[in-house]
Amino acid sequence: GENVEQHPSTLSVQEGDSAVIKCTYSDSASNYFPWYKQELGKGPQLIIDIRSNVGEKKDQRIAVTLNKTAKHFSLHITETQPEDSAVYFCAASKGWGTGNQFYFGTGTSLTVIP
Amino acid sequence: GAVVSQHPSRVICKSGTSVKIECRSLDFQATTMFWYRQFPKKSLMLMATSNEGSKATYEQGVEKDKFLINHASLTLSTLTVTSAHPEDSSFYICSALSGANVLTFGAGSRLTVL
């Protein structure tokens, strides 16, 4: 089955600096890679995703890059703000339809220091 | 965007009673929903996959008779924790899969068993 590893587990950055979180996956058939942000006491929220037919996607201060050959993808947050502090999860998925599974990383706790 | 409503957000019950948690996809139909359990500062632990009109598929180690899952319609899945014990206290989160293979999470339900 798929195995998703996520690093680092904790990350502290100064406000305004960039943060990078990296994930690797094992199954080359995985073709969809979402990132979720989870604030304390809430459910995860989708912040950005990328499909295997593109190498990079950007949405304002957030970007995701995908290297299919190396089987890794990364989340980049620029100009970090205190409200970016949360736990971030990466995930990998393959295929479509009923019962399609998502495999999650173990999460990265990001703290942005004002 | 896709919205998943989860209710109740918090529930406190006595040991031995049963608790039902509802998960609704508000603006899309979801043939597949997932139920997760999350321990403090830990990742998402998949409990079961719920497919509309069929029996749920439980992950290894999850007691199907204790955690009853029903997916009676394309917009509603329920998780019933039967004969709850203090060790069942946890944060339970549902998610629903849209036709575009996008996974949307509910806000989570905090269960406390006294």
Coordinates of all heavy atoms in Angstrom, one line a residue, chain B residues 41-88:
Chain B
K41 N -2.5 15.9 19.4 CA -1.2 16.1 18.7 C -0.8 14.9 17.9 O 0.4 14.7 17.7 CB -0.1 16.4 19.7 CG -0.4 17.7 20.5 CD 0.7 18.1 21.4 CE 0.4 19.4 22.1 NZ 1.5 19.8 23.0
K42 N -1.8 14.2 17.4 CA -1.5 13.0 16.5 C -2.1 13.2 15.2 O -2.9 14.1 14.9 CB -2.0 11.8 17.2 CG -1.3 11.4 18.5 CD 0.2 11.0 18.2 CE 0.8 10.6 19.6 NZ 2.3 10.3 19.4
S43 N -1.8 12.3 14.3 CA -2.3 12.4 12.9 C -3.7 11.8 12.9 O -4.2 11.3 13.9 CB -1.4 11.6 12.0 OG -1.8 11.8 10.6
L44 N -4.3 11.7 11.7 CA -5.6 11.2 11.5 C -5.5 9.7 11.4 O -4.8 9.2 10.6 CB -6.2 11.8 10.2 CG -6.2 13.3 10.2 CD1 -6.4 13.8 8.7 CD2 -7.4 13.8 11.0
M45 N -6.3 9.0 12.2 CA -6.4 7.6 12.1 C -7.7 7.1 11.4 O -8.8 7.4 12.0 CB -6.3 7.0 13.5 CG -6.2 5.4 13.5 SD -6.3 4.7 15.2 CE -8.1 4.7 15.3
L46 N -7.5 6.5 10.3 CA -8.7 6.1 9.6 C -9.4 5.0 10.3 O -8.8 4.0 10.6 CB -8.4 5.7 8.1 CG -9.5 5.2 7.3 CD1 -10.5 6.3 7.0 CD2 -9.0 4.6 5.9
M47 N -10.7 5.1 10.6 CA -11.4 4.1 11.2 C -12.2 3.2 10.2 O -12.1 2.0 10.3 CB -12.5 4.7 12.2 CG -11.9 5.5 13.3 SD -13.2 6.3 14.3 CE -14.0 4.9 15.0
A48 N -12.8 3.9 9.3 CA -13.7 3.1 8.3 C -14.0 3.9 7.1 O -14.0 5.2 7.2 CB -14.9 2.6 9.0
T49 N -14.3 3.2 6.1 CA -14.7 3.8 4.8 C -16.2 3.5 4.7 O -16.6 2.3 4.7 CB -14.0 3.3 3.6 OG1 -12.6 3.6 3.8 CG2 -14.4 3.9 2.3
S50 N -17.0 4.5 4.5 CA -18.5 4.4 4.4 C -18.9 4.6 3.0 O -18.7 5.7 2.4 CB -19.1 5.4 5.3 OG -20.5 5.5 5.2
N51 N -19.5 3.6 2.4 CA -20.0 3.7 1.0 C -21.6 3.7 1.0 O -22.2 2.8 1.7 CB -19.5 2.6 0.1 CG -18.0 2.7 0.0 OD1 -17.5 3.7 -0.4 ND2 -17.3 1.6 0.2
E52 N -22.2 4.6 0.3 CA -23.6 4.7 0.3 C -24.3 3.4 -0.2 O -23.9 2.8 -1.2 CB -24.0 5.9 -0.6 CG -25.5 6.2 -0.6 CD -26.3 5.5 -1.7 OE1 -25.7 5.1 -2.7 OE2 -27.5 5.3 -1.5
G53 N -25.2 2.9 0.6 CA -26.0 1.8 0.3 C -25.3 0.4 0.5 O -25.8 -0.6 0.2
S54 N -24.1 0.4 1.1 CA -23.4 -0.8 1.4 C -22.8 -0.8 2.8 O -22.7 0.3 3.4 CB -22.4 -1.2 0.3 OG -21.4 -0.2 0.3
K55 N -22.3 -1.9 3.2 CA -21.7 -1.9 4.5 C -20.3 -1.2 4.5 O -19.6 -1.2 3.5 CB -21.4 -3.4 5.0 CG -22.7 -4.2 5.2 CD -22.4 -5.6 5.7 CE -23.7 -6.3 6.1 NZ -23.4 -7.7 6.6
A56 N -20.0 -0.6 5.7 CA -18.8 0.1 5.8 C -17.6 -0.9 5.8 O -17.7 -2.0 6.3 CB -18.8 0.9 7.1
T57 N -16.5 -0.4 5.4 CA -15.2 -1.2 5.5 C -14.4 -0.6 6.6 O -14.0 0.5 6.6 CB -14.4 -1.0 4.1 OG1 -15.3 -1.5 3.1 CG2 -13.2 -1.9 4.2
Y58 N -14.1 -1.5 7.6 CA -13.4 -1.1 8.8 C -11.9 -1.4 8.7 O -11.5 -2.4 8.1 CB -14.0 -1.8 10.0 CG -15.4 -1.3 10.4 CD1 -16.5 -1.8 9.7 CD2 -15.6 -0.3 11.4 CE1 -17.8 -1.3 10.0 CE2 -16.8 0.1 11.7 CZ -17.9 -0.4 11.0 OH -19.2 0.1 11.3
E59 N -11.1 -0.5 9.2 CA -9.7 -0.7 9.3 C -9.4 -1.7 10.4 O -10.2 -2.0 11.3 CB -9.0 0.6 9.6 CG -9.1 1.6 8.5 CD -8.6 1.2 7.2 OE1 -7.3 0.8 7.1 OE2 -9.3 1.1 6.2
Q60 N -8.2 -2.3 10.2 CA -7.8 -3.4 11.2 C -7.8 -2.8 12.6 O -7.2 -1.7 12.8 CB -6.5 -3.9 10.7 CG -6.1 -5.2 11.5 CD -4.8 -5.8 10.9 OE1 -4.2 -5.2 10.0 NE2 -4.5 -7.0 11.3
G61 N -8.3 -3.5 13.5 CA -8.3 -3.1 14.9 C -9.5 -2.2 15.3 O -9.6 -1.9 16.5
V62 N -10.3 -1.8 14.4 CA -11.5 -1.1 14.7 C -12.7 -2.0 14.9 O -13.0 -2.7 14.0 CB -11.8 0.0 13.7 CG1 -13.1 0.8 14.0 CG2 -10.6 0.9 13.5
E63 N -13.3 -2.0 16.0 CA -14.5 -2.9 16.3 C -15.7 -2.4 15.6 O -16.3 -1.3 16.0 CB -14.7 -2.9 17.8 CG -13.5 -3.4 18.6 CD -13.9 -3.4 20.1 OE1 -14.9 -4.0 20.5 OE2 -13.1 -2.7 20.9
K64 N -16.2 -3.1 14.6 CA -17.4 -2.7 13.9 C -18.6 -2.7 14.7 O -19.6 -2.0 14.4 CB -17.5 -3.6 12.6 CG -17.7 -5.0 12.9 CD -17.9 -5.8 11.6 CE -18.1 -7.2 11.8 NZ -18.2 -8.0 10.5
D65 N -18.7 -3.6 15.7 CA -19.9 -3.6 16.6 C -19.9 -2.5 17.6 O -21.0 -2.2 18.1 CB -20.0 -5.0 17.3 CG -20.2 -6.1 16.4 OD1 -20.8 -5.9 15.3 OD2 -19.7 -7.2 16.7
K66 N -18.8 -1.9 17.8 CA -18.7 -0.8 18.7 C -18.9 0.6 18.0 O -19.5 1.5 18.5 CB -17.4 -0.8 19.4 CG -17.2 0.4 20.4 CD -16.1 0.2 21.3 CE -16.2 1.2 22.4 NZ -17.4 1.2 23.2
F67 N -18.4 0.6 16.8 CA -18.5 1.9 16.0 C -19.3 1.5 14.8 O -18.8 1.1 13.8 CB -17.1 2.3 15.6 CG -16.2 2.7 16.7 CD1 -15.2 1.8 17.2 CD2 -16.3 3.9 17.4 CE1 -14.4 2.1 18.3 CE2 -15.5 4.2 18.5 CZ -14.5 3.4 18.9
L68 N -20.6 1.8 15.0 CA -21.6 1.5 13.9 C -21.6 2.6 12.9 O -21.9 3.8 13.3 CB -23.0 1.2 14.5 CG -23.1 0.1 15.5 CD1 -24.5 0.0 16.0 CD2 -22.6 -1.2 14.9
I69 N -21.5 2.3 11.6 CA -21.5 3.3 10.6 C -22.6 3.0 9.6 O -22.7 1.9 9.1 CB -20.1 3.4 9.9 CG1 -19.1 4.0 10.8 CG2 -20.2 4.3 8.6 CD1 -17.7 3.9 10.3
N70 N -23.4 4.0 9.3 CA -24.5 3.9 8.4 C -24.4 5.0 7.4 O -24.3 6.2 7.7 CB -25.8 4.0 9.2 CG -27.0 3.8 8.2 OD1 -27.4 4.7 7.5 ND2 -27.5 2.6 8.2
H71 N -24.5 4.6 6.1 CA -24.5 5.7 5.0 C -25.7 5.5 4.2 O -25.7 4.9 3.1 CB -23.2 5.4 4.2 CG -22.8 6.5 3.3 ND1 -21.5 6.7 2.9 CD2 -23.5 7.5 2.7 CE1 -21.4 7.7 2.1 NE2 -22.7 8.3 2.0
A72 N -26.8 5.9 4.7 CA -28.1 5.6 4.1 C -28.5 6.4 2.9 O -29.3 6.1 2.1 CB -29.2 5.8 5.2
S73 N -27.8 7.6 2.8 CA -28.1 8.4 1.6 C -26.8 9.0 1.1 O -25.8 8.9 1.7 CB -29.1 9.5 2.0 OG -28.4 10.6 2.6
L74 N -26.9 9.7 -0.1 CA -25.7 10.2 -0.7 C -25.2 11.5 0.0 O -24.2 12.0 -0.4 CB -26.0 10.6 -2.2 CG -26.2 9.4 -3.1 CD1 -26.7 9.8 -4.5 CD2 -24.8 8.7 -3.3
T75 N -25.9 11.9 1.0 CA -25.5 13.1 1.7 C -25.3 12.9 3.2 O -25.0 13.9 3.9 CB -26.5 14.3 1.5 OG1 -27.8 13.9 1.9 CG2 -26.5 14.7 0.0
L76 N -25.6 11.7 3.7 CA -25.5 11.5 5.2 C -24.9 10.2 5.5 O -25.2 9.1 5.0 CB -26.9 11.6 5.7 CG -27.1 11.2 7.2 CD1 -26.4 12.3 8.1 CD2 -28.6 11.1 7.6
S77 N -23.9 10.3 6.4 CA -23.3 9.1 7.1 C -23.3 9.4 8.6 O -23.1 10.5 9.0 CB -21.9 8.9 6.6 OG -21.3 7.8 7.3
T78 N -23.6 8.3 9.3 CA -23.6 8.5 10.8 C -22.6 7.5 11.4 O -22.5 6.3 10.9 CB -25.0 8.2 11.4 OG1 -25.5 6.9 11.0 CG2 -26.0 9.3 10.8
L79 N -22.0 7.9 12.5 CA -21.2 7.1 13.3 C -21.8 7.0 14.7 O -22.1 8.0 15.3 CB -19.8 7.7 13.4 CG -18.9 7.0 14.5 CD1 -18.5 5.6 14.2 CD2 -17.6 7.9 14.7
T80 N -22.1 5.8 15.1 CA -22.7 5.6 16.5 C -21.7 4.8 17.3 O -21.2 3.7 17.0 CB -24.0 4.8 16.4 OG1 -24.9 5.5 15.6 CG2 -24.6 4.6 17.8
V81 N -21.2 5.4 18.4 CA -20.4 4.8 19.4 C -21.2 4.1 20.4 O -22.0 4.8 21.2 CB -19.4 5.8 20.1 CG1 -18.5 5.1 21.0 CG2 -18.7 6.6 19.0
T82 N -21.2 2.8 20.4 CA -22.1 2.1 21.3 C -21.4 1.7 22.6 O -20.2 1.5 22.6 CB -22.6 0.8 20.6 OG1 -21.5 0.0 20.3 CG2 -23.3 1.1 19.3
S83 N -22.2 1.7 23.7 CA -21.7 1.3 25.0 C -20.4 2.0 25.2 O -19.3 1.4 25.4 CB -21.6 -0.2 25.1 OG -21.2 -0.6 26.4
A84 N -20.4 3.3 25.2 CA -19.2 4.1 25.2 C -18.5 4.0 26.6 O -19.1 3.8 27.6 CB -19.5 5.6 25.0
H85 N -17.1 4.0 26.5 CA -16.3 3.9 27.7 C -15.3 5.1 27.6 O -15.1 5.7 26.6 CB -15.5 2.6 27.7 CG -16.3 1.4 27.9 ND1 -16.8 1.0 29.2 CD2 -16.9 0.5 27.1 CE1 -17.5 -0.1 29.1 NE2 -17.6 -0.4 27.9
P86 N -14.8 5.5 28.8 CA -13.9 6.6 28.8 C -12.8 6.5 27.8 O -12.4 7.6 27.2 CB -13.3 6.6 30.3 CG -14.4 6.0 31.0 CD -15.1 4.9 30.1
E87 N -12.3 5.4 27.5 CA -11.2 5.2 26.5 C -11.7 5.6 25.0 O -10.9 5.7 24.1 CB -10.6 3.9 26.5 CG -11.5 2.7 26.3 CD -12.0 2.1 27.6 OE1 -12.1 2.9 28.6 OE2 -12.3 0.9 27.7
D88 N -13.0 5.7 24.9 CA -13.5 6.1 23.6 C -13.5 7.6 23.4 O -13.8 8.1 22.3 CB -15.0 5.6 23.4 CG -15.1 4.1 23.4 OD1 -14.1 3.4 22.9 OD2 -16.1 3.6 23.9

